[in-house]
Amino acid sequence: MTRETAMIRIFIFVFIILFFLGCQNCIICPSSKVEGAKTTTVQTETDKKPEVQVEAAKPEKPNVQVAQAKTPQNKSKSGKKNKKISKQEQELETKKFQGERIKELRFELKKTPLFEKWYYSLAEERVRQIYYAAKLLLVESESKKLFAFDGKTGIIQWVYTLPESLDFRPEIVKDRLYFLAMAKLYTLDKSTGSLLKQTELNFIPSSPLCIGDKYIYLGAWDNFLYALDKEDGSVAWRYRIDGIVQGQPVVSDGLLFFPGTDQKIYAINAESGYSLNDWGKESRYETRAANVAGIHAESNPPSLYIGSVDYNFYSLNRVNGDLRWKFESGGEIRYKPYQTAKTIYFSAEMIEKKTLFYGLDIQNGDLKTTVENGILFFFVGQFHDFIVRNDKKIVAVSRGNQKQSLYDFKEFDYFVSNPEESNLGFIATKDAFIFAVEEK
């Protein structure tokens, strides 16, 4: 058998096998190429069908939008009814919230030795700050309103719409209320809240007001202390220093005392603005750093009390400016002190934002008590002096043995009183729930 013959036989054998198996994918059979092409075409069409279906689905979107548009129309048909219900529900929800809120606050108050004298809620208001002076509780709201409450009864006396937020705390002397707002001095009638006078200042105030018999005193950022006529607000005179007057001045026995950031405490004639030859060194007492805290004056003994950024708390003889005593606090003193019967309180800012609140004997400066993280004197209770810490806890210091007790007031944001008024304090929340409290 030749090689050619063998190859022919093998070819015939393979052909016969493929013929009977009917292989459609064999590359030898021409028909398989056609079928394969058809299969490829079907697969391609099948793969494209989802794309065609997606494109066909796009016109349906307007129908969906129409369906969505019908919903507001259905609502609008009953819109008035729904609006009335919604308003009623909102009022009920507000009353419900106020009821629950006052229960919550009263529950927290019962955990302390303080008792509620009266309560008031300023609906839909937010408190910016509260002040207490001359038996009036003044509540400044974020909506720029000033509410005046009778401190004893809690009855609103009047409401005044403020032009701007207050720059410093208001001051009340006799039948007049004075405050600063955006470099303007306002005078209101204390009883009615009506505006009596408005004076535009040609300087920017840097300190709270001090109200004297004839003049209104305040510092300015132009290095002057100004004396304004109480009747017409005009500048009567001004006194220049090498720094800024930021702490509140004080008037006592015809003398005006004020602190300066130029490391001096000044005493001048309150009527004329002239320096005093017989007070301190050229009418001033020198400290070792800036003085930004307000000054407190006392008659018995005749003395001044002021803290300084130089870490010292000073007591000066009010008559001649001599040093009575000083206390080294270990921190910067930036706020006006508070005096009770026999104790002078102040806060000192230590390193790393830590504060210490000191209570010193007013006569000799001896340390009586120290409250860690204390920042504010709250009020004089029946048995304790109450001090606010920076974590909204209140420390009750026994006036008998100086023992301290701690109470949580985390629900409250504002604390105020007049240290000269015994057993009456005021607390408030930012959402305008206001309480007058006392210790029993």
Side-chain angles (χ1 to χ4, degrees):
M1 181 183 300
T2 65
R3 184 178 180 180
E4 289 80 6
T5 304
M7 292 295 292
I8 292 171
R9 287 181 177 181
I10 291 171
F11 180 82
I12 293 171
F13 179 75
V14 172
F15 181 81
I16 292 171
I17 292 173
L18 293 174
F19 179 81
F20 283 100
L21 291 175
C23 178
Q24 296 180 353
N25 296 325
C26 179
I27 59 173
I28 300 175
C29 179
S31 63
S32 68
K33 292 182 180 180
V34 177
E35 292 297 327
K38 287 181 181 179
T39 303
T40 303
T41 303
V42 171
Q43 289 174 353
T44 303
E45 290 175 355
T46 305
D47 293 339
K48 290 183 179 180
K49 277 183 180 179
E51 298 177 3
V52 175
Q53 291 174 356
V54 171
E55 293 176 355
K58 288 181 180 178
E60 296 179 1
K61 285 187 177 179
N63 295 332
V64 176
Q65 292 174 354
V66 171
Q68 290 175 345
K70 289 179 181 178
T71 306
Q73 290 177 0
N74 293 337
K75 286 184 178 180
S76 64
K77 289 179 181 179
S78 59
K80 292 182 180 180
K81 186 176 180 180
N82 289 342
K83 188 175 181 180
K84 289 181 180 178
I85 294 173
S86 176
K87 187 176 181 180
Q88 292 174 354
E89 289 178 347
Q90 187 176 3
E91 290 177 353
L92 289 173
E93 284 296 322
T94 301
K95 291 180 179 179
K96 182 180 178 182
F97 167 77
Q98 288 183 329
E100 293 175 350
R101 183 75 167 128
I102 187 62
K103 286 181 181 178
E104 177 187 16
L105 295 174
R106 282 174 171 157
F107 178 76
E108 293 296 325
L109 196 58
K110 287 180 179 179
K111 299 177 183 178
T112 76
L114 305 185
F115 292 81
E116 174 186 335
K117 286 178 68 78
W118 57 259
Y119 145 81
Y120 200 97
S121 173
L122 294 172
E124 300 180 359
E125 292 287 352
R126 300 282 295 176
V127 174
R128 182 175 181 265
Q129 191 54 268
I130 62 175
Y131 315 91
Y132 183 62
K135 302 189 183 302
L136 272 186
L137 176 67
L138 302 171
V139 178
E140 181 188 2
S141 71
E142 292 183 359
S143 62
K144 296 180 181 178
K145 293 178 183 176
L146 190 64
F147 298 84
F149 293 85
D150 183 297
K152 185 177 180 180
T153 65
I155 299 173
I156 291 183
Q157 305 299 295
W158 45 263
V159 181
Y160 180 79
T161 301
L162 296 168
E164 296 291 343
S165 299
L166 301 184
D167 295 336
F168 303 97
R169 60 163 286 146
E171 297 294 332
I172 299 177
V173 175
K174 297 181 180 180
D175 59 347
R176 297 289 184 265
L177 183 149
Y178 305 88
F179 66 85
L180 292 167
M182 289 297 289
K184 292 181 180 179
L185 174 64
Y186 295 82
T187 305
L188 306 185
D189 185 288
K190 175 194 169 186
S191 301
T192 64
S194 57
L195 179 64
L196 301 177
K197 186 166 55 273
Q198 173 183 326
T199 305
E200 187 166 355
L201 307 176
N202 58 1
F203 56 86
I204 306 300
S206 60
S207 79
L209 299 172
C210 170
I211 314 299
D213 294 333
K214 187 176 181 180
Y215 299 123
I216 300 172
Y217 307 96
L218 70 162
W221 291 104
D222 60 3
N223 300 96
F224 283 96
L225 177 128
Y226 286 84
L228 308 180
D229 189 284
K230 286 176 69 174
E231 296 302 320
D232 57 18
S234 62
V235 177
W237 50 262
R238 61 181 186 171
Y239 188 93
R240 182 179 176 82
I241 67 172
D242 293 331
I244 306 295
V245 181
Q246 290 183 256
Q248 185 179 29
V250 63
V251 175
S252 182
D253 291 337
L255 301 182
L256 176 67
F257 306 94
F258 57 94
T261 58
D262 56 357
Q263 304 183 18
K264 296 179 180 67
I265 300 169
Y266 291 86
I268 61 176
N269 187 290
E271 177 77 18
S272 64
Y274 292 155
S275 298
L276 306 174
N277 296 325
D278 55 352
W279 199 94
K281 184 179 179 180
E282 297 179 353
S283 200
R284 63 203 67 180
Y285 180 88
E286 293 191 15
T287 61
R288 299 169 60 186
N291 305 301
V292 297
I295 299 177
H296 174 72
E298 173 62 24
S299 298
N300 186 24
S303 49
L304 303 175
Y305 300 92
I306 181 173
S308 176
V309 178
D310 68 4
Y311 293 14
N312 290 311
F313 186 84
Y314 297 89
S315 174
L316 305 180
N317 186 304
R318 198 186 67 198
V319 178
N320 57 25
D322 290 345
L323 178 67
R324 294 182 64 240
W325 52 260
K326 72 175 179 178
F327 177 86
E328 187 173 345
S329 69
E332 297 181 351
I333 305 170
R334 295 181 170 273
Y335 300 100
K336 185 176 179 178
Y338 305 84
Q339 182 195 340
T340 62
K342 298 179 181 180
T343 307
I344 190 83
Y345 289 99
F346 64 93
S347 64
E349 298 178 1
M350 321 300 280
I351 300 174
E352 298 178 354
K353 297 183 178 180
K354 179 183 176 181
T355 61
L356 289 178
F357 202 86
Y358 293 99
L360 307 181
D361 186 291
I362 199 167
Q363 296 292 338
N364 53 30
D366 289 346
L367 179 64
K368 298 176 68 174
T369 188
T370 304
V371 177
E372 291 189 7
N373 299 316
I375 57 172
L376 176 70
F377 184 86
F378 180 20
F379 85 106
V380 179
Q382 189 171 358
F383 309 104
H384 299 81
D385 291 341
F386 292 87
I387 296 163
V388 182
R389 299 199 328 182
N390 55 14
D391 57 0
K392 291 186 180 180
K393 288 183 171 62
I394 288 184
V395 178
V397 180
S398 171
R399 288 196 293 275
N401 56 15
Q402 301 299 308
K403 182 180 177 181
Q404 298 183 9
S405 303
L406 188 64
Y407 302 96
D408 195 344
F409 277 73
K410 63 183 178 180
E411 295 295 331
F412 297 92
D413 304 288
Y414 304 98
F415 308 83
V416 72
S417 75
N418 180 357
E420 296 178 1
E421 247 182 275
S422 181
N423 208 22
L424 179 62
F426 303 93
I427 54 179
T429 63
K430 289 183 179 179
D431 51 355
F433 289 84
I434 304 157
F435 291 82
V437 295
E438 62 182 346
E439 182 186 20
K440 289 185 178 180

PDB file of all heavy atoms in Angstrom, residues 285-305:
ATOM      1  N   TYR A 285      -2.078 103.901  91.065  1.00  0.00           N
ATOM      2  CA  TYR A 285      -1.372 102.812  91.728  1.00  0.00           C
ATOM      3  C   TYR A 285      -0.879 101.866  90.639  1.00  0.00           C
ATOM      4  O   TYR A 285      -1.651 101.439  89.767  1.00  0.00           O
ATOM      5  CB  TYR A 285      -2.284 102.065  92.700  1.00  0.00           C
ATOM      6  CG  TYR A 285      -1.600 100.927  93.420  1.00  0.00           C
ATOM      7  CD1 TYR A 285      -0.925 101.156  94.615  1.00  0.00           C
ATOM      8  CD2 TYR A 285      -1.593  99.641  92.890  1.00  0.00           C
ATOM      9  CE1 TYR A 285      -0.281 100.116  95.275  1.00  0.00           C
ATOM     10  CE2 TYR A 285      -0.950  98.604  93.538  1.00  0.00           C
ATOM     11  CZ  TYR A 285      -0.289  98.848  94.726  1.00  0.00           C
ATOM     12  OH  TYR A 285       0.364  97.821  95.378  1.00  0.00           O
ATOM     13  N   GLU A 286       0.396 101.514  90.668  1.00  0.00           N
ATOM     14  CA  GLU A 286       0.993 100.702  89.610  1.00  0.00           C
ATOM     15  C   GLU A 286       0.986  99.220  89.976  1.00  0.00           C
ATOM     16  O   GLU A 286       1.327  98.840  91.094  1.00  0.00           O
ATOM     17  CB  GLU A 286       2.425 101.156  89.330  1.00  0.00           C
ATOM     18  CG  GLU A 286       2.514 102.554  88.728  1.00  0.00           C
ATOM     19  CD  GLU A 286       3.908 102.885  88.216  1.00  0.00           C
ATOM     20  OE1 GLU A 286       4.716 101.942  88.079  1.00  0.00           O
ATOM     21  OE2 GLU A 286       4.169 104.075  87.946  1.00  0.00           O
ATOM     22  N   THR A 287       0.574  98.412  89.001  1.00  0.00           N
ATOM     23  CA  THR A 287       0.636  96.957  89.129  1.00  0.00           C
ATOM     24  C   THR A 287       1.722  96.436  88.180  1.00  0.00           C
ATOM     25  O   THR A 287       2.405  97.215  87.513  1.00  0.00           O
ATOM     26  CB  THR A 287      -0.725  96.320  88.790  1.00  0.00           C
ATOM     27  OG1 THR A 287      -1.079  96.641  87.431  1.00  0.00           O
ATOM     28  CG2 THR A 287      -1.805  96.834  89.722  1.00  0.00           C
ATOM     29  N   ARG A 288       1.830  95.120  88.080  1.00  0.00           N
ATOM     30  CA  ARG A 288       2.902  94.542  87.262  1.00  0.00           C
ATOM     31  C   ARG A 288       2.423  94.050  85.906  1.00  0.00           C
ATOM     32  O   ARG A 288       3.205  93.510  85.127  1.00  0.00           O
ATOM     33  CB  ARG A 288       3.549  93.399  88.039  1.00  0.00           C
ATOM     34  CG  ARG A 288       4.179  93.866  89.349  1.00  0.00           C
ATOM     35  CD  ARG A 288       4.580  92.699  90.228  1.00  0.00           C
ATOM     36  NE  ARG A 288       5.555  91.833  89.565  1.00  0.00           N
ATOM     37  CZ  ARG A 288       5.981  90.675  90.081  1.00  0.00           C
ATOM     38  NH1 ARG A 288       5.504  90.262  91.250  1.00  0.00           N
ATOM     39  NH2 ARG A 288       6.867  89.949  89.433  1.00  0.00           N
ATOM     40  N   ALA A 289       1.141  94.209  85.611  1.00  0.00           N
ATOM     41  CA  ALA A 289       0.601  93.789  84.305  1.00  0.00           C
ATOM     42  C   ALA A 289      -0.696  94.557  84.063  1.00  0.00           C
ATOM     43  O   ALA A 289      -1.115  95.392  84.874  1.00  0.00           O
ATOM     44  CB  ALA A 289       0.369  92.279  84.279  1.00  0.00           C
ATOM     45  N   ALA A 290      -1.333  94.263  82.950  1.00  0.00           N
ATOM     46  CA  ALA A 290      -2.563  94.967  82.569  1.00  0.00           C
ATOM     47  C   ALA A 290      -3.672  94.704  83.578  1.00  0.00           C
ATOM     48  O   ALA A 290      -3.736  93.642  84.212  1.00  0.00           O
ATOM     49  CB  ALA A 290      -3.009  94.520  81.183  1.00  0.00           C
ATOM     50  N   ASN A 291      -4.564  95.693  83.695  1.00  0.00           N
ATOM     51  CA  ASN A 291      -5.731  95.578  84.569  1.00  0.00           C
ATOM     52  C   ASN A 291      -6.989  95.708  83.706  1.00  0.00           C
ATOM     53  O   ASN A 291      -7.248  96.758  83.129  1.00  0.00           O
ATOM     54  CB  ASN A 291      -5.705  96.675  85.640  1.00  0.00           C
ATOM     55  CG  ASN A 291      -4.406  96.662  86.432  1.00  0.00           C
ATOM     56  OD1 ASN A 291      -4.068  95.663  87.058  1.00  0.00           O
ATOM     57  ND2 ASN A 291      -3.664  97.765  86.382  1.00  0.00           N
ATOM     58  N   VAL A 292      -7.748  94.621  83.603  1.00  0.00           N
ATOM     59  CA  VAL A 292      -8.941  94.616  82.754  1.00  0.00           C
ATOM     60  C   VAL A 292     -10.206  94.301  83.549  1.00  0.00           C
ATOM     61  O   VAL A 292     -11.314  94.390  83.007  1.00  0.00           O
ATOM     62  CB  VAL A 292      -8.793  93.598  81.600  1.00  0.00           C
ATOM     63  CG1 VAL A 292      -7.629  93.990  80.692  1.00  0.00           C
ATOM     64  CG2 VAL A 292      -8.586  92.178  82.133  1.00  0.00           C
ATOM     65  N   ALA A 293     -10.065  93.931  84.809  1.00  0.00           N
ATOM     66  CA  ALA A 293     -11.229  93.619  85.644  1.00  0.00           C
ATOM     67  C   ALA A 293     -11.853  94.895  86.201  1.00  0.00           C
ATOM     68  O   ALA A 293     -11.174  95.912  86.374  1.00  0.00           O
ATOM     69  CB  ALA A 293     -10.815  92.696  86.797  1.00  0.00           C
ATOM     70  N   GLY A 294     -13.148  94.834  86.460  1.00  0.00           N
ATOM     71  CA  GLY A 294     -13.834  95.956  87.073  1.00  0.00           C
ATOM     72  C   GLY A 294     -13.431  96.125  88.525  1.00  0.00           C
ATOM     73  O   GLY A 294     -12.916  95.198  89.171  1.00  0.00           O
ATOM     74  N   ILE A 295     -13.651  97.332  89.067  1.00  0.00           N
ATOM     75  CA  ILE A 295     -13.278  97.651  90.444  1.00  0.00           C
ATOM     76  C   ILE A 295     -14.499  97.609  91.343  1.00  0.00           C
ATOM     77  O   ILE A 295     -15.581  98.072  90.967  1.00  0.00           O
ATOM     78  CB  ILE A 295     -12.624  99.039  90.521  1.00  0.00           C
ATOM     79  CG1 ILE A 295     -11.349  99.075  89.670  1.00  0.00           C
ATOM     80  CG2 ILE A 295     -12.296  99.418  91.954  1.00  0.00           C
ATOM     81  CD1 ILE A 295     -10.683 100.435  89.642  1.00  0.00           C
ATOM     82  N   HIS A 296     -14.318  97.051  92.535  1.00  0.00           N
ATOM     83  CA  HIS A 296     -15.382  97.062  93.543  1.00  0.00           C
ATOM     84  C   HIS A 296     -14.968  97.989  94.681  1.00  0.00           C
ATOM     85  O   HIS A 296     -13.839  97.904  95.182  1.00  0.00           O
ATOM     86  CB  HIS A 296     -15.638  95.660  94.088  1.00  0.00           C
ATOM     87  CG  HIS A 296     -16.610  95.636  95.218  1.00  0.00           C
ATOM     88  ND1 HIS A 296     -17.957  95.847  95.039  1.00  0.00           N
ATOM     89  CD2 HIS A 296     -16.433  95.433  96.559  1.00  0.00           C
ATOM     90  CE1 HIS A 296     -18.574  95.779  96.199  1.00  0.00           C
ATOM     91  NE2 HIS A 296     -17.675  95.536  97.143  1.00  0.00           N
ATOM     92  N   ALA A 297     -15.843  98.887  95.099  1.00  0.00           N
ATOM     93  CA  ALA A 297     -15.565  99.837  96.181  1.00  0.00           C
ATOM     94  C   ALA A 297     -16.389  99.469  97.408  1.00  0.00           C
ATOM     95  O   ALA A 297     -17.562  99.069  97.293  1.00  0.00           O
ATOM     96  CB  ALA A 297     -15.888 101.263  95.742  1.00  0.00           C
ATOM     97  N   GLU A 298     -15.776  99.613  98.562  1.00  0.00           N
ATOM     98  CA  GLU A 298     -16.430  99.290  99.833  1.00  0.00           C
ATOM     99  C   GLU A 298     -16.248 100.448 100.801  1.00  0.00           C
ATOM    100  O   GLU A 298     -15.203 101.111 100.820  1.00  0.00           O
ATOM    101  CB  GLU A 298     -15.829  97.996 100.402  1.00  0.00           C
ATOM    102  CG  GLU A 298     -16.288  97.633 101.801  1.00  0.00           C
ATOM    103  CD  GLU A 298     -17.783  97.385 101.893  1.00  0.00           C
ATOM    104  OE1 GLU A 298     -18.400  97.050 100.860  1.00  0.00           O
ATOM    105  OE2 GLU A 298     -18.334  97.535 103.002  1.00  0.00           O
ATOM    106  N   SER A 299     -17.280 100.693 101.621  1.00  0.00           N
ATOM    107  CA  SER A 299     -17.241 101.827 102.555  1.00  0.00           C
ATOM    108  C   SER A 299     -16.651 101.478 103.910  1.00  0.00           C
ATOM    109  O   SER A 299     -16.030 102.318 104.561  1.00  0.00           O
ATOM    110  CB  SER A 299     -18.659 102.387 102.749  1.00  0.00           C
ATOM    111  OG  SER A 299     -19.157 102.875 101.522  1.00  0.00           O
ATOM    112  N   ASN A 300     -16.837 100.216 104.356  1.00  0.00           N
ATOM    113  CA  ASN A 300     -16.374  99.850 105.691  1.00  0.00           C
ATOM    114  C   ASN A 300     -15.568  98.545 105.644  1.00  0.00           C
ATOM    115  O   ASN A 300     -16.153  97.460 105.596  1.00  0.00           O
ATOM    116  CB  ASN A 300     -17.569  99.694 106.635  1.00  0.00           C
ATOM    117  CG  ASN A 300     -17.141  99.453 108.070  1.00  0.00           C
ATOM    118  OD1 ASN A 300     -16.043  99.817 108.462  1.00  0.00           O
ATOM    119  ND2 ASN A 300     -18.027  98.824 108.846  1.00  0.00           N
ATOM    120  N   PRO A 301     -14.249  98.655 105.647  1.00  0.00           N
ATOM    121  CA  PRO A 301     -13.468  99.906 105.650  1.00  0.00           C
ATOM    122  C   PRO A 301     -13.460 100.538 104.258  1.00  0.00           C
ATOM    123  O   PRO A 301     -13.724  99.845 103.273  1.00  0.00           O
ATOM    124  CB  PRO A 301     -12.068  99.422 106.046  1.00  0.00           C
ATOM    125  CG  PRO A 301     -12.001  98.031 105.508  1.00  0.00           C
ATOM    126  CD  PRO A 301     -13.370  97.450 105.670  1.00  0.00           C
ATOM    127  N   PRO A 302     -13.128 101.827 104.138  1.00  0.00           N
ATOM    128  CA  PRO A 302     -13.100 102.488 102.826  1.00  0.00           C
ATOM    129  C   PRO A 302     -11.968 101.907 101.974  1.00  0.00           C
ATOM    130  O   PRO A 302     -10.791 102.200 102.204  1.00  0.00           O
ATOM    131  CB  PRO A 302     -12.849 103.958 103.177  1.00  0.00           C
ATOM    132  CG  PRO A 302     -12.224 103.947 104.520  1.00  0.00           C
ATOM    133  CD  PRO A 302     -12.774 102.762 105.231  1.00  0.00           C
ATOM    134  N   SER A 303     -12.317 101.052 101.035  1.00  0.00           N
ATOM    135  CA  SER A 303     -11.296 100.316 100.296  1.00  0.00           C
ATOM    136  C   SER A 303     -11.759 100.003  98.884  1.00  0.00           C
ATOM    137  O   SER A 303     -12.946 100.105  98.551  1.00  0.00           O
ATOM    138  CB  SER A 303     -10.933  99.022 101.040  1.00  0.00           C
ATOM    139  OG  SER A 303     -12.116  98.320 101.393  1.00  0.00           O
ATOM    140  N   LEU A 304     -10.786  99.618  98.051  1.00  0.00           N
ATOM    141  CA  LEU A 304     -11.030  99.179  96.684  1.00  0.00           C
ATOM    142  C   LEU A 304     -10.536  97.745  96.543  1.00  0.00           C
ATOM    143  O   LEU A 304      -9.536  97.357  97.155  1.00  0.00           O
ATOM    144  CB  LEU A 304     -10.295 100.068  95.674  1.00  0.00           C
ATOM    145  CG  LEU A 304     -10.591 101.563  95.690  1.00  0.00           C
ATOM    146  CD1 LEU A 304      -9.675 102.283  94.702  1.00  0.00           C
ATOM    147  CD2 LEU A 304     -12.052 101.838  95.357  1.00  0.00           C
ATOM    148  N   TYR A 305     -11.232  96.977  95.699  1.00  0.00           N
ATOM    149  CA  TYR A 305     -10.834  95.593  95.443  1.00  0.00           C
ATOM    150  C   TYR A 305     -10.772  95.379  93.938  1.00  0.00           C
ATOM    151  O   TYR A 305     -11.735  95.665  93.220  1.00  0.00           O
ATOM    152  CB  TYR A 305     -11.818  94.614  96.080  1.00  0.00           C
ATOM    153  CG  TYR A 305     -11.933  94.771  97.580  1.00  0.00           C
ATOM    154  CD1 TYR A 305     -12.903  95.601  98.142  1.00  0.00           C
ATOM    155  CD2 TYR A 305     -11.050  94.117  98.435  1.00  0.00           C
ATOM    156  CE1 TYR A 305     -12.993  95.760  99.513  1.00  0.00           C
ATOM    157  CE2 TYR A 305     -11.136  94.275  99.817  1.00  0.00           C
ATOM    158  CZ  TYR A 305     -12.107  95.092 100.346  1.00  0.00           C
ATOM    159  OH  TYR A 305     -12.189  95.250 101.696  1.00  0.00           O
TER     160      TYR A 305
END
